Amino acid sequence: MSTRIQSGGRLIDRSRKIGFTFNGQRLTGHPGDTLASALLGSGQVLMGRSFKYHRPRGPVGAGSEEPNALMGLGQGAHFEPNQRATVAELHDGLAATSQNHWPSLDMDVGALNAAMSRFFPAGFYYKTFMAPRSAWKHVFEPVIRKAAGLGKAPTQPDADRYEYFYAYVDVLVVGGGMAGLQAALEAGRAGARVLLLEQTAHLGGRLLSDEVEIDGQPSDIWLAAAVAELQGMDNVTIRTRMMGAGVYDHGYVTGYERLTDHLENATGPRHRLWRIRTDRIVTATGAIERPLSFAGNDVPGVMLAAALRDYVTLYGVTPGDRTVVVTNNDDAYRTAIALKLAGLEVPVILDARDAAIGPLPRQARDLGIRVEVGKGVASVKGGKKVEAVEICSQAGEGTVLETIPCDAVAMSGGWSPVVHLWSHCGGKLVWDVDQAHFRPDASRPPTDHNGAGYVITAGSASGALLSGDAMQDAAAAGRRAAAEVGFIPSEGDAPTAMAEPEEPVQPVWMMPAGASYKLRSKAFLDFQNDVKVSDVQLAAQEGFESVEHAKRYTTLGMATDQGKLSNINGLAVLADSLGTTIPQVGTTTFRPPYTPISMGAIAGEARGAIFKPTRKSPIDGWHDENDAVWEPVADWRRPYTYRRAGETTEQAVHREIRNTRTNVGLLDASTLGKILVKGPDAAKFLDLIYTNMMSSLKPGRCRYGLMCTENGFLFDDGVVVRLSEDSFLCHTTSGGSDGVHAWMEEWLQTEWWDLEVFTSNVTEQFAQVAVVGPKARQLLESLGGMDVSKEALSFMGYAEGELGGIPARVFRISFSGELSYEIGVPASYGRAFWDMLLEKGAALGVMPYGTEALHVMRAEKGFIMIGDETDGTVTPHDLALGWAVSKKKEDFIGKRALQRPDMIRADRKQLVGLATEDPATVLPDGAHAVAGVNEYGDPKTIGHVTSTYFSPTMERSIAMALIDGGAGRMGEVLEFPVGKDSVIRATVVDPVFYDKAGERQDV
Amino acid sequence: MKRYSAFAIAREAFRHHTGWERAWRSPQPKAEYDVVIVGAGGHGLATAYYLAKNHGITNVAVVEKGWLGGGNTGRNTTIIRSNYLQPSSMAIFEKSRGLYEDLSQDLNYNIMFSPRGVMMLAQTEHELRAWKRTAHANRIAGIESEMVTPQQIQEMIPIIQTAGPRYPVLGGLWQARGGSARHDAVAWGYARAASNMGVDIIQQCEVIGVDRDASGVTGIQTTKGAIRTKKLCIVVAGNSGVLADMAGFKLPVESVALQALVSEPIKPALDCVVMANTVHGYMSQSDKGEMVIGGGADSFNNYTQRGSFHHLEETVRALIETFPMVSRLKMLRHWGGIVDMTGDRSPIIGTTPVPGVFINCGWGTGGFKAIPGSGWATAEMLADGAPRALAAPFALDRFTQGRMIDESVAAAVAH
């Protein structure tokens, strides 16, 4: 049975015990254990249930490629599903729960699926569940959804923190095994800035399990020296528990560092996502062992041979006392030898090859282990645990020659280089016939902007599986990387690594070669998704010949291990079924990340209140202290209204409007976009950007300007102020400032780069306050300072001076129809200026107002609002703003488009006002007017409401709308169906409801 | 074609599934076809299917440079909805959604259309007004959609965070009969049914030239030889510009990478599709249990099916803001597709300056939901030689006429 053994366990500290729970049961392990090794040490091989058939599963691997042993870890706000027990480091108090079963791991009702599996071959769901139609949504799909999924969904907001980190290096080495260390040594010694990543907690990779001889000494000595040398170099950084997650264009790499998952009481961020810019990437990512495809290869206790060896050597645990080893290569003999030396039984090594004559088989035989060549596994017996192995001839059809009782099986189908990072950005692969794997084609790397390859592979990731070759390859990779980034690498001999020579692997894609359907339908390729050899064969039979079709039809390689164990075996079965070769079939696309990374790490610190940092005006504090009802406007927050005790929001808005129209109101307009445009060609540039003529604007004057897209549609507006001959201040909408600034820069940088103009977004450099109402001038005069009389500062005029001792830019513009000044002061004076206005204005009845009062007042005046009256389909002419479109200018953005036939149609939608028949009835937002029937047989809409309010000033509802040929419909009564059998009737009127002559603002 | 059914599965189960036929034939191209469709994605295959089924035109080839359904059909986030704003958009998307309702039965292939609803959140006052406007437009056009309150949203979607802190949910536009479907199955189902009616689907056959004479198109050159035809329909999404160039005309289309990602599978936690445009994220949970998440489009043109990492950051942040539990899920895989974007973000279905050459492209970020309707309308056009009511507004000349169909109100981000 699975147990802790007395020998081995170099990574664990046997002197200490730590407690953890598994499905509520209290167990113990040692510091250094993974959750998987601790469970094996506690007699627990069964660790999970598969996705489709709910078959009992134990760990098949010992690393990040694990498809079976997935657990929910943590509790409450720290719970996370689908974590690999094979990489989760044990800590005191760790709470683990197994997944995808009901009612329990041992007794899972879902396992009925397995009994019925003959009815559930690949893609069966495409062929059934079709009648009756509604049954899919209401019956079949809910059942499938419930059975699918793996771990439970987290229910609470995440209690942990995450962060980003940025790094810039010359050479990034991914992988801290022998090859990665050697490559880093070479690049580091040459002087390059090197960052070395290792996804586990330990440097050394397979050297930790499989000692070799390096320069005549045990590899542990070399390892310690290499690490010490690297740690001594200032230009080298080593990070463990950090995975190279994805390679992107131009040497951009994401690194995923797990900072606290292994700690009991963690402080600080849990994960850190590194964004690394590097000139060269050395991938020393090693190789992954392939399973063998025989019936029952998924029974708990069947493991990859090297993984089993790792458990024994690194953690001192074993899944069983009697282990049958089955292989097609020499490497797996190391497992048999390690088990034997640990005092465990190896009843037989089944070698599918015709002969086993290398030093490793010899060593095994010398230890007294029985070796059977040309043999394989017909079937593994056992349900939740291996009970026996039935032996057959590999060449045959599975006739059982002998049944050998055992409680574990170590399998090895050969090794495949980890090529993911090489492939993420387009590195190509080549099929290596001798080693039966895809390896990177060094002549076709992913390329940078200059056509140079920027990823170099090292060691077994290159396909150099033997230690001696791997060391040479890694040294060359490190030197090449250093040389390519401008350093002079060493030319001396690389260290010599020596391990036992190995005889060639012999590809075995099906065991036995002529396996019956019964065996093939129990031989698993993709463990988690329960894809069997028979499924891939069925896909081929049904014409899913492309590897992508076969993958999607069978779900091969779509599990959380993304095919790390299954893909090559699956490709081989597909190729065989189609009568073609593996390289002809090709691989599916490798996509980042290498193994799944937490969403939390991707989001970093940007969550909650700082998800998108709120832009705040310099006067924000006052609003906050004075009952502002907030409204998000782009990235800003603005007071919608200031609601006093006992008021409804609507009452507050109406109070603010009435006061502004009779006394004086204050609006914090600081969020309004302000872009400074300066230079000899500033006027020329703005003539191109705006539909209006801006070059004719005199210094000291303001002009309302419109901006159109290339398609002639209005997208932003605002007042342009000519500060001086060569400088303009362009106001934009609050939401539009960043976009407009980017728009200006795009044109300047890509089209009109010959213009001598600079632009600068000065939105946040100024606080801006609109002082609005009949008593506005009186209020400003009470501050003392510059002359704001009608004579000195007429409507649409601009002056600079001081008000109440504060430097001020004063614009006489009005968005309310009242006498109005907008005053820009340096941002740092904003609050002081606001407070001064409130203090001096108290006697005048001054009262701040919010965005809703602003909106209602502008609608009372028939002023348009970008985003309400415009929606990307509206021209200035549609809004009766044709006066702001210059006829004299040779060109401006949108000019040509505005001449297109559809843009000058007389019956385009045009802006009108609406007066409902019942003055108390307010039209709903976005209500549509209908008349007749359209080409689809639906009621024809002839327009829609764009702004609609109850006007406290007019004491009735008012609305603006865009109506087909609206300008010619004055007095017409339109019908707005607003619900079932509910129609509101409204008369088309002039959109200017209040002060049509415009007398109030020009006083 | 042997029909698929539970009975057929049971029958095959007892003979080791040896009786299943190929889902579609794998023919060599004939010398000439009445219609050649370039591109065996959803739109091209649906076009071929409706040409055969509705118009009796079966001497049709669909040529595909890769494998069928391997472009955007096989890499999108499978959202189906029709609650658009403009009448011409509503018409074609609702036609499409309606066809999806019965598509499994029509094709005898379970495409798993699942009308579990689409929720479009309003997180600013402006967005709220826009959705209200859309709801009015939908109701008048006979499309079932309705405004719902934050309380209703919270009840329908327990994992959502409606209370901010940054962008509280102010309401939502809910289309109960929107949802999702299994994207590969849509391509496979159309391919199987079309092939069964005589349409030749020719994979691994890249078009390398378009032949024309004074009267118009005469055929195409492919990697599997020349094929003559008088009617050529280009349905190749991100590669539309390349094919148009071969045919001799220009398109107002830009090709950019759009990204998507999935989480590891978890037990059911989200029933409907949720779109949060203000924060730029949308998410649904597949039947397999993966959270399917749509990302943003790059702002530069390219043909690599990847994309910039910062879009993923933006998307994942938005999702965590909307669904805090997402923080403790893991990203399994992210990928990109090449989308063909027009100036008004609406598709092009129409004739071209080259007689006999027709185009269907420009679906941008929202083409999957349109597959049946688009195929239906394009088949009408190919049968008649000119578009009917569904396709007519989407003619290529709208860009020179200024007759844009701008959905920017209803689809501020990828849809």
Side-chain angles (χ1 to χ4, degrees):
Chain A
M1 65 172 285
S2 104
T3 186
R4 185 81 62 183
I5 56 179
Q6 292 311 307
S7 63
R10 63 181 292 177
L11 295 184
I12 59 166
D13 174 3
R14 286 179 188 267
S15 68
R16 284 175 52 212
K17 279 194 171 178
I18 51 180
F20 68 104
T21 64
F22 177 64
N23 291 339
Q25 185 190 356
R26 293 182 165 280
L27 301 170
T28 58
H30 296 293
D33 262 327
T34 63
L35 177 57
S37 70
L39 285 169
L40 288 174
S42 306
Q44 185 74 40
V45 181
L46 177 60
M47 295 193 195
R49 292 274 173 173
S50 67
F51 188 87
K52 185 174 172 184
Y53 298 141
H54 290 241
R55 284 176 69 90
R57 292 284 165 75
V60 66
S64 66
E65 66 277 13
E66 174 61 31
N68 286 344
L70 305 184
M71 311 258 169
L73 298 188
Q75 288 167 313
H78 296 281
F79 171 79
E80 184 167 314
N82 301 333
Q83 304 209 62
R84 288 153 192 76
T86 51
V87 298
E89 295 173 53
L90 197 70
H91 61 73
D92 220 359
L94 182 71
T97 47
S98 56
Q99 316 187 135
N100 203 35
H101 47 65
W102 186 86
S104 74
L105 179 59
D106 268 321
M107 284 287 301
D108 180 12
V109 170
L112 277 174
N113 286 358
M116 302 284 284
S117 66
R118 69 160 65 192
F119 300 104
F120 304 149
F124 76 98
Y125 29 71
Y126 299 123
K127 296 171 177 164
T128 184
F129 304 140
M130 286 180 276
R133 195 186 85 176
S134 62
W136 173 251
K137 181 189 169 190
H138 295 289
V139 181
F140 301 126
E141 191 184 39
V143 172
I144 289 173
R145 285 174 80 84
K146 210 169 162 206
L150 283 170
K152 288 188 179 133
T155 53
Q156 297 182 27
D158 193 347
D160 280 306
R161 286 207 295 117
Y162 303 83
E163 68 178 22
Y164 287 171
F165 197 78
Y166 296 84
Y168 303 85
V169 296
D170 299 317
V171 178
L172 173 72
V173 179
V174 184
M178 182 186 80
L181 293 169
Q182 183 61 30
L185 281 171
E186 298 286 356
R189 285 172 189 155
R193 283 176 306 167
V194 177
L195 174 61
L196 173 85
L197 314 183
E198 166 53 44
Q199 65 176 345
T200 71
H202 307 281
L203 296 169
R206 291 222 56 79
L207 289 183
L208 298 177
S209 294
D210 299 335
E211 189 167 85
V212 302
E213 191 183 293
I214 298 178
D215 283 344
Q217 290 185 304
S219 51
D220 274 0
I221 293 174
W222 176 86
L223 177 59
V227 172
E229 184 179 349
L230 287 168
Q231 283 171 340
M233 290 188 206
D234 290 340
N235 55 329
V236 175
T237 305
I238 299 174
R239 304 300 295 186
T240 55
R241 297 192 179 94
M242 179 161 161
M243 175 184 76
V247 169
Y248 300 85
D249 289 296
H250 309 301
Y252 186 71
V253 182
T254 48
Y256 177 59
E257 185 177 18
R258 294 171 297 111
L259 295 160
T260 64
D261 282 344
H262 61 292
L263 301 175
E264 184 194 354
N265 291 311
T267 54
R270 177 179 178 225
H271 298 155
R272 181 182 284 152
L273 193 68
W274 289 53
R275 291 83 194 296
I276 304 157
R277 284 275 176 198
T278 180
D279 281 337
R280 288 294 178 271
I281 302 159
V282 175
T283 61
T285 44
I288 293 179
E289 195 167 27
R290 295 190 296 257
L292 285 166
S293 302
F294 50 81
N297 61 349
D298 69 323
V299 176
V302 182
M303 269 187 203
L304 292 169
L308 209 157
R309 187 153 90 235
D310 288 346
Y311 282 117
V312 170
T313 313
L314 304 180
Y315 307 104
V317 296
T318 174
D321 304 336
R322 277 171 63 83
T323 304
V324 170
V325 176
V326 53
T327 182
N328 66 347
N329 61 75
D330 278 3
D331 183 67
Y333 284 81
R334 292 193 169 97
T335 300
I337 293 162
L339 289 169
K340 194 78 182 172
L341 294 178
L344 296 162
E345 277 188 69
V346 180
V348 66
I349 297 173
L350 304 174
D351 194 325
R353 296 174 296 181
D354 301 329
I357 52 172
L360 284 164
R362 197 180 318 127
Q363 210 178 322
R365 287 189 177 102
D366 290 349
L367 285 168
I369 302 173
R370 174 184 166 199
V371 176
E372 291 281 344
V373 295
K375 298 293 191 303
V377 174
S379 183
V380 175
K381 295 289 151 193
K384 292 174 198 158
K385 185 80 189 76
V386 172
E387 289 163 8
V389 160
E390 292 179 340
I391 300 179
C392 65
S393 288
Q394 169 57 21
E397 294 179 351
T399 306
V400 179
L401 305 175
E402 186 181 344
T403 301
I404 298 188
C406 62
D407 52 8
V409 177
M411 61 178 167
S412 178
W415 292 76
S416 298
V418 174
V419 298
H420 299 64
L421 296 179
W422 167 266
S423 302
H424 282 167
C425 239
K428 298 290 185 287
L429 304 177
V430 62
W431 178 252
D432 185 323
V433 177
D434 293 338
Q435 304 199 87
H437 62 211
F438 280 106
R439 63 173 163 79
D441 180 349
S443 67
R444 293 184 296 165
T447 51
D448 211 340
H449 61 285
N450 55 10
Y454 63 92
V455 181
I456 302 166
T457 60
S460 49
S462 303
L465 294 184
L466 300 181
S467 304
D469 301 340
M471 181 64 98
Q472 295 303 313
D473 184 69
R479 290 173 187 188
R480 199 181 122 203
E484 288 181 0
V485 299
F487 296 90
I488 300 167
S490 154
E491 289 177 355
D493 289 338
T496 312
M498 297 272 287
E500 296 88 345
E502 295 178 30
E503 292 295 307
V505 60
Q506 188 176 308
V508 171
W509 306 121
M510 185 63 233
M511 179 174 273
S516 66
Y517 179 82
K518 191 179 162 206
L519 296 180
R520 282 181 280 131
S521 64
K522 291 281 185 265
F524 287 83
L525 293 167
D526 187 312
F527 291 93
Q528 190 182 110
N529 278 356
D530 287 325
V531 181
K532 303 148 298 178
V533 169
S534 58
D535 291 318
V536 173
Q537 289 168 331
L538 178 62
Q541 173 190 329
E542 294 192 87
F544 295 88
E545 297 169 343
S546 146
V547 59
E548 285 284 354
H549 280 162
K551 163 190 156 183
R552 287 153 182 261
Y553 191 61
T554 62
T555 72
L556 174 83
M558 291 171 76
T560 60
D561 66 316
Q562 291 281 286
K564 290 186 183 70
L565 297 187
S566 61
N567 269 357
I568 299 295
N569 288 347
L571 292 176
V573 172
L574 181 64
D576 181 59
S577 307
L578 297 173
T580 182
T581 63
I582 293 170
Q584 283 273 306
V585 167
T587 66
T588 53
T589 312
F590 294 88
R591 296 285 188 182
Y594 174 62
T595 66
I597 65 175
S598 65
M599 298 281 190
I602 299 171
E605 286 164 337
R607 62 184 65 215
I610 57 166
F611 157 62
K612 271 189 183 168
T614 306
R615 294 176 79 177
K616 293 179 179 175
S617 101
I619 308 163
D620 183 273
W622 189 91
H623 307 318
D624 208 23
E625 293 153 20
N626 288 275
D627 308 319
V629 177
W630 293 109
E631 175 190 6
V633 177
D635 292 338
W636 300 93
R637 65 172 188 178
R638 300 190 71 183
Y640 179 89
T641 186
Y642 304 84
R643 197 172 55 205
R644 293 177 176 175
E647 274 182 340
T648 66
T649 301
E650 188 182 29
Q651 285 166 342
V653 171
H654 288 181
R655 168 180 51 76
E656 289 168 5
I657 293 169
R658 277 191 290 266
N659 185 69
T660 303
R661 293 249 184 252
T662 52
N663 292 316
V664 57
L666 298 183
L667 175 79
D668 180 359
S670 305
T671 62
L672 215 61
K674 305 168 209 67
I675 298 166
L676 185 64
V677 176
K678 190 173 171 68
D681 292 323
K684 193 174 168 186
F685 172 62
L686 292 184
D687 276 350
L688 289 164
I689 288 284
Y690 285 92
T691 62
N692 323 54
M693 185 82 88
M694 289 301 173
S695 52
S696 62
L697 186 62
K698 300 270 181 299
R701 300 299 297 170
C702 306
R703 183 167 289 166
Y704 174 64
L706 304 177
M707 281 180 242
C708 283
T709 64
E710 300 100 311
N711 285 323
F713 298 120
L714 187 55
F715 82 96
D716 209 87
D717 68 349
V719 170
V720 177
V721 186
R722 192 160 198 170
L723 301 174
S724 66
E725 193 56 36
D726 73 341
S727 55
F728 293 80
L729 184 64
C730 301
H731 289 102
T732 74
T733 58
S734 292
S737 63
D738 295 345
V740 169
H741 187 225
W743 171 256
M744 287 179 171
E745 280 298 317
E746 184 179 348
W747 285 95
L748 271 179
Q749 291 178 29
T750 64
E751 298 289 334
W752 305 324
W753 38 267
D754 54 324
L755 294 185
E756 291 184 46
V757 179
F758 286 110
T759 71
S760 179
N761 189 339
V762 297
T763 301
E764 293 185 347
Q765 273 59 53
F766 292 89
Q768 195 135 316
V769 179
V771 182
V772 180
K775 298 176 184 169
R777 183 175 289 133
Q778 224 178 317
L779 172 53
L780 292 185
E781 283 171 348
S782 73
L783 300 181
M786 59 192 288
D787 185 355
V788 293
S789 68
K790 181 178 184 182
E791 296 68 33
L793 188 57
S794 62
F795 184 56
M796 297 306 274
Y798 152 72
E800 200 168 330
E802 261 188 25
L803 284 170
I806 293 173
R809 287 172 162 178
V810 184
F811 316 103
R812 261 216 57 193
I813 53 181
S814 178
F815 198 41
S816 57
E818 297 298 329
L819 170 64
S820 165
Y821 298 81
E822 288 198 16
I823 300 141
V825 301
S828 52
Y829 283 100
R831 177 68 191 268
F833 186 62
W834 179 267
D835 288 343
M836 191 187 297
L837 286 167
L838 285 174
E839 188 196 328
K840 299 281 185 188
L844 302 170
V846 72
M847 201 183 274
Y849 64 93
T851 53
E852 186 63 1
L854 164 84
H855 288 160
V856 176
M857 286 193 283
R858 65 92 197 169
E860 289 172 341
K861 280 294 295 173
F863 294 146
I864 66 127
M865 185 71 129
I866 294 292
D868 286 346
E869 277 64 44
T870 67
D871 62 6
T873 67
V874 177
T875 72
H877 301 279
D878 297 339
L879 300 176
L881 294 172
W883 57 268
V885 181
S886 168
K887 294 184 182 61
K888 295 182 201 154
K889 289 196 296 188
E890 197 179 312
D891 198 12
F892 60 85
I893 299 170
K895 181 179 168 85
R896 179 163 155 265
L898 285 169
Q899 295 162 357
R900 289 172 181 158
D902 203 68
M903 302 289 266
I904 53 177
R905 251 189 318 118
D907 60 348
R908 285 181 64 82
K909 283 187 184 179
Q910 289 150 351
L911 185 72
V912 298
L914 293 173
T916 49
E917 288 195 333
D918 172 6
T921 302
V922 179
L923 278 160
D925 276 314
H928 283 54
V930 298
V933 173
N934 70 11
E935 64 266 46
Y936 310 110
D938 298 320
K940 180 173 165 57
T941 58
I942 57 167
H944 67 279
V945 173
T946 57
S947 295
T948 173
Y949 303 99
F950 187 85
S951 162
T953 311
M954 310 307 296
E955 294 183 324
R956 62 154 299 134
S957 78
I958 60 168
M960 293 158 82
L962 283 162
I963 302 292
D964 287 348
R969 291 181 187 256
M970 287 299 148
E972 213 174 291
V973 176
L974 304 182
E975 296 195 335
F976 295 81
V978 294
K980 237 185 182 167
D981 307 322
S982 171
V983 174
I984 296 176
R985 292 160 61 85
T987 309
V988 177
V989 298
D990 179 7
V992 184
F993 293 92
Y994 182 62
D995 184 26
K996 287 184 196 293
E999 287 163 349
R1000 298 178 66 87
Q1001 62 192 13
D1002 194 10
V1003 292
Chain B
M1 180 177 85
K2 286 187 186 166
R3 283 189 67 76
Y4 290 159
S5 66
F7 173 74
I9 293 175
R11 184 189 61 219
E12 287 300 327
F14 290 99
R15 55 181 187 189
H16 301 161
H17 299 281
T18 50
W20 296 114
E21 300 172 331
R22 295 181 64 95
W24 47 79
R25 294 173 293 112
S26 181
Q28 287 302 306
K30 294 191 284 191
E32 182 164 7
Y33 291 93
D34 293 341
V35 178
V36 172
I37 296 164
V38 185
H43 290 258
L45 292 167
T47 300
Y49 172 71
Y50 292 117
L51 264 179
K53 182 176 180 240
N54 295 354
H55 305 281
I57 300 170
T58 57
N59 185 24
V60 175
V62 185
V63 298
E64 167 59 49
K65 76 171 177 180
W67 39 282
L68 69 88
N72 295 342
T73 303
R75 55 184 79 224
N76 70 89
T77 52
T78 80
I79 297 172
I80 295 167
R81 63 181 183 90
S82 62
N83 52 352
Y84 279 69
L85 177 66
Q86 310 291 356
S88 40
S89 307
M90 286 190 281
I92 196 162
F93 285 107
E94 176 61 10
K95 172 73 185 175
S96 198
R97 201 202 57 75
L99 288 169
Y100 265 125
E101 292 262 9
D102 299 309
L103 198 55
S104 293
Q105 293 73 32
D106 189 28
L107 299 177
N108 180 233
Y109 204 92
N110 188 359
I111 59 107
M112 304 181 193
F113 172 63
S114 178
R116 282 176 285 119
V118 175
M119 180 72 75
M120 296 165 71
L121 303 177
Q123 290 173 286
T124 64
E125 293 287 343
H126 177 256
E127 200 171 24
L128 190 62
R129 286 195 293 274
W131 288 166
K132 286 178 179 172
R133 178 182 165 193
T134 304
H136 283 293
N138 291 166
R139 194 188 61 254
I140 290 165
I143 292 171
E144 288 175 38
S145 77
E146 59 176 324
M147 293 301 297
V148 289
T149 65
Q151 292 72 28
Q152 287 173 295
I153 293 169
Q154 190 72 64
E155 282 163 24
M156 294 163 79
I157 309 167
I159 63 169
I160 205 169
Q161 166 177 268
T162 54
R166 191 61 181 86
Y167 293 103
V169 174
L170 306 176
L173 180 63
W174 169 245
Q175 184 171 25
R177 296 300 291 180
S180 61
R182 175 85 182 95
H183 55 9
D184 292 326
V186 172
W188 300 342
Y190 274 121
R192 173 167 169 268
S195 174
N196 184 52
M197 285 189 287
V199 172
D200 282 355
I201 301 164
I202 305 158
Q203 301 183 78
Q204 306 295 330
C205 178
E206 183 171 358
V207 176
I208 50 179
V210 175
D211 300 328
R212 45 186 287 196
D213 62 18
S215 66
V217 69
T218 58
I220 54 171
Q221 299 291 327
T222 77
T223 50
K224 289 189 172 177
I227 303 173
R228 290 194 304 280
T229 188
K230 289 281 197 308
K231 279 184 180 172
L232 178 68
C233 189
I234 298 170
V235 197
V236 295
N239 285 300
S240 296
V242 178
L243 264 291
D245 194 46
M246 284 185 204
F249 63 96
K250 293 253 181 238
L251 281 175
V253 164
E254 296 187 330
S255 292
V256 299
L258 177 75
Q259 295 185 76
L261 62 133
V262 290
S263 76
E264 294 182 326
I266 54 168
K267 293 293 176 190
L270 177 62
D271 209 34
C272 62
V273 180
V274 179
M275 308 177 72
N277 288 4
T278 292
V279 296
H280 293 254
Y282 57 97
M283 182 165 101
S284 63
Q285 187 172 18
S286 72
D287 286 346
K288 203 178 166 200
E290 295 164 335
M291 292 296 181
V292 182
I293 295 168
D298 276 336
S299 54
F300 52 88
N301 300 350
N302 79 80
Y303 289 103
T304 69
Q305 289 171 324
R306 296 193 290 269
S308 307
F309 189 78
H310 69 89
H311 285 300
L312 300 182
E313 296 172 33
E314 186 186 57
T315 298
V316 172
R317 285 172 175 179
L319 265 304
I320 292 175
E321 177 70 5
T322 314
F323 309 102
M325 56 86 78
V326 166
S327 181
R328 284 197 99 90
L329 302 183
K330 294 196 281 301
M331 175 173 75
L332 176 60
R333 179 180 175 93
H334 71 82
W335 66 91
I338 303 306
V339 294
D340 39 338
M341 310 284 266
T342 62
D344 61 1
R345 301 296 186 259
S346 287
I348 300 169
I349 309 173
T351 56
T352 72
V354 182
V357 178
F358 301 83
I359 184 101
N360 174 330
C361 70
W363 293 96
T365 61
F368 177 75
K369 65 177 74 66
I371 285 173
S374 160
W376 184 283
T378 308
E380 288 178 342
M381 173 175 71
L382 289 169
D384 297 358
R388 293 187 197 168
L390 272 183
F394 298 100
L396 181 55
D397 72 354
R398 76 173 186 275
F399 298 100
T400 51
Q401 301 287 310
R403 205 179 57 251
M404 309 302 184
I405 306 167
D406 199 309
E407 285 287 341
S408 55
V409 170
V413 297
H415 52 120

